[in-house]
Amino acid sequence: ILLYSALSFYFFLLLYRRYGLWFRLRKLILWLLGMYIAIPFLVKLCPAIQAKLVFLNFVRVPYFIDLKRPQDQGLNHTCNYYLQPEEDVTIGVWHTVPAALWKNARGKDQLWFEEALGSSHPVILYLHGNAGTRGGDHRVELYKVLSSLGYHVVTFDYRGWGDSIGSPSERGMTYDALHVFDWIKARSGDNPVYIWGHSLGTGVATNLVRRLCERETPPDALILESPFTNIREEARSHPFSVIYRYFPGFDWFFLDPITTSGIKFANDENVKYISCSLLILHAEDDPVVPFHLGKKLYNIAATSRSFRDYKVQFVPFHRDLGYRHKYIYRSPELPRILREFLGKSEHEHHH
């Protein structure tokens, strides 16, 4: 009887474990399915969620860095400024001088750095992508590369990013970039000024350059690193969208709220109104902005009448190099690419 009882208890335990586990697993599956179905409706009802996912300005990586101290990131020839594009908006700016001025820059104040923009060195205004700050690791490494090649690098955090004050919006980001460009031009004399946008920053860059061309003050060249065609196509291609790409009504649920929030970043439209040299850099293994979107943008620009008197160049980086979305700065070919491309732009500038 004892043996029978023990065996009965053992089988009961076995069945409980099996069916108890299955019950918990079923609950988890139903919960995940419920969440999967609920999220599209949540995004549709609150378009601000989708706007936050586009900007990711709340993701501050790396954490715990003092943006007032660029020297902590190895930028000993960089000055931190604060500019005010509009009332109630303050943006944090870094200005890195060319490596040739490194020794002279030590211990100098903001006035010296501002006056240095008038030295005979070209200036690059760098517009970063979403998430992080002007102190992001890959961004800092690019500033170092560009400084070593003899460029001033001016970069900033849009309103709502880093230590910049204000609420993010496409209009606001573009206005911040316009304000910094005008601030540079007021100090740089006849030196060439180039605009470099990366990822989401390419959307800001083409918005800015279109406005500059419309007012007949174009930059000397535009460089787009890992660009997309427009934010809808980029959102559809983004790895985050994979699990919903075939969800019924994907555009209505996920893409229309982006447009409703006033976010377009229409690079494909903007390039039709841009009149300056254009260089596009894109890695074939880019997992964030697919390579084919950069190539598509180049094809639109290359056939646009607005570029008929200007150079349009597309430089791909083979997937085996592993540069992905943000490591093109590592390319040993980059100095030559920039020298050849911007050298021609400087020639156009002076003639």
Side-chain angles (χ1 to χ4, degrees):
I1 293 167
L2 281 171
L3 184 63
Y4 176 76
S5 300
L7 284 169
S8 298
F9 180 73
Y10 174 75
F11 282 118
F12 171 76
L13 205 62
L14 213 60
L15 286 167
Y16 175 78
R17 277 184 181 168
R18 180 176 294 175
Y19 288 105
L21 186 65
W22 165 242
F23 178 72
R24 287 198 295 273
L25 193 62
R26 196 172 63 175
K27 262 178 73 172
L28 179 66
I29 290 166
L30 287 171
W31 183 81
L32 288 173
L33 189 63
M35 286 294 290
Y36 180 77
I37 293 166
I39 284 171
F41 289 95
L42 195 64
V43 169
K44 186 66 182 177
L45 289 169
C46 306
I49 294 172
Q50 196 68 321
K52 283 191 177 295
L53 291 174
V54 170
F55 296 136
L56 289 177
N57 59 302
F58 55 90
V59 179
R60 185 170 168 169
V61 182
Y63 296 101
F64 313 120
I65 75 163
D66 185 353
L67 292 168
K68 293 183 180 70
R69 293 177 52 82
Q71 60 268 35
D72 292 350
Q73 309 308 306
L75 295 170
N76 296 317
H77 50 321
T78 298
C79 188
N80 181 64
Y81 309 139
Y82 290 97
L83 302 179
Q84 195 166 9
E86 293 180 296
E87 199 179 344
D88 301 326
V89 175
T90 305
I91 56 173
V93 182
W94 280 0
H95 170 200
T96 303
V97 295
L101 303 178
W102 184 83
K103 284 184 181 174
N104 294 341
R106 281 188 293 186
K108 297 296 195 299
D109 61 5
Q110 181 173 332
L111 185 62
W112 182 90
F113 274 83
E114 288 189 39
E115 288 175 350
L117 284 168
S119 64
S120 58
H121 294 273
V123 185
I124 291 178
L125 170 57
Y126 178 78
L127 305 169
H128 69 64
N130 67 358
T133 68
R134 62 191 183 275
D137 294 343
H138 64 284
R139 294 163 188 163
V140 167
E141 292 307 315
L142 179 65
Y143 312 153
K144 290 175 182 175
V145 169
L146 297 177
S147 170
S148 73
L149 297 176
Y151 301 103
H152 287 276
V153 183
V154 177
T155 187
F156 67 96
D157 280 316
Y158 317 104
R159 59 187 72 187
W161 270 259
D163 57 355
S164 296
I165 297 163
S167 298
S169 68
E170 181 173 354
R171 186 209 68 83
M173 294 163 76
T174 304
Y175 192 81
D176 293 345
L178 180 64
H179 182 81
V180 177
F181 178 84
D182 287 341
W183 180 86
I184 292 168
K185 287 297 283 184
R187 291 156 178 77
S188 61
D190 290 331
N191 295 326
V193 178
Y194 309 122
I195 290 167
W196 184 312
H198 173 243
S199 192
L200 190 68
T202 64
V204 183
T206 65
N207 280 350
L208 169 63
V209 176
R210 178 175 174 174
R211 283 185 67 168
L212 294 176
C213 291
E214 284 170 352
R215 75 175 197 188
E216 298 183 354
T217 58
D220 293 279
L222 170 62
I223 300 164
L224 301 177
E225 179 190 356
S226 312
F228 47 85
T229 45
N230 59 69
I231 201 67
R232 285 179 74 99
E233 286 198 357
E234 160 54 12
R236 188 181 287 114
S237 306
H238 198 279
F240 286 160
S241 75
V242 170
I243 59 168
Y244 282 107
R245 207 167 287 163
Y246 304 105
F247 191 88
F250 174 80
D251 284 25
W252 188 77
F253 278 113
F254 291 98
L255 304 185
D256 290 353
I258 298 176
T259 311
T260 303
S261 300
I263 304 170
K264 294 179 180 174
F265 291 115
N267 289 336
D268 49 356
E269 274 303 303
N270 288 339
V271 293
K272 297 172 186 174
Y273 299 91
I274 287 173
S275 307
C276 70
S277 297
L278 171 65
L279 172 64
I280 295 177
L281 310 169
H282 214 134
E284 290 178 352
D285 60 335
D286 190 329
V288 178
V289 180
F291 179 77
H292 72 86
L293 291 185
K295 188 69 174 167
K296 184 177 178 181
L297 182 66
Y298 165 74
N299 291 333
I300 294 167
T303 55
S304 172
R305 289 178 61 205
S306 67
F307 285 105
R308 63 183 177 273
D309 297 324
Y310 298 95
K311 186 179 182 186
V312 180
Q313 186 179 349
F314 182 84
V315 179
F317 294 86
H318 198 275
R319 64 180 63 254
D320 291 348
L321 296 167
Y323 296 152
R324 297 171 66 78
H325 184 57
K326 55 188 183 183
Y327 301 113
I328 286 174
Y329 73 83
R330 293 176 179 170
S331 171
E333 293 296 307
L334 189 59
R336 179 190 59 78
I337 291 162
L338 294 177
R339 195 164 49 244
E340 289 178 4
F341 178 78
L342 295 178
K344 288 185 172 64
S345 298
E346 283 172 35
H347 182 75
E348 288 167 5
H349 174 83
H350 293 300
H351 293 82

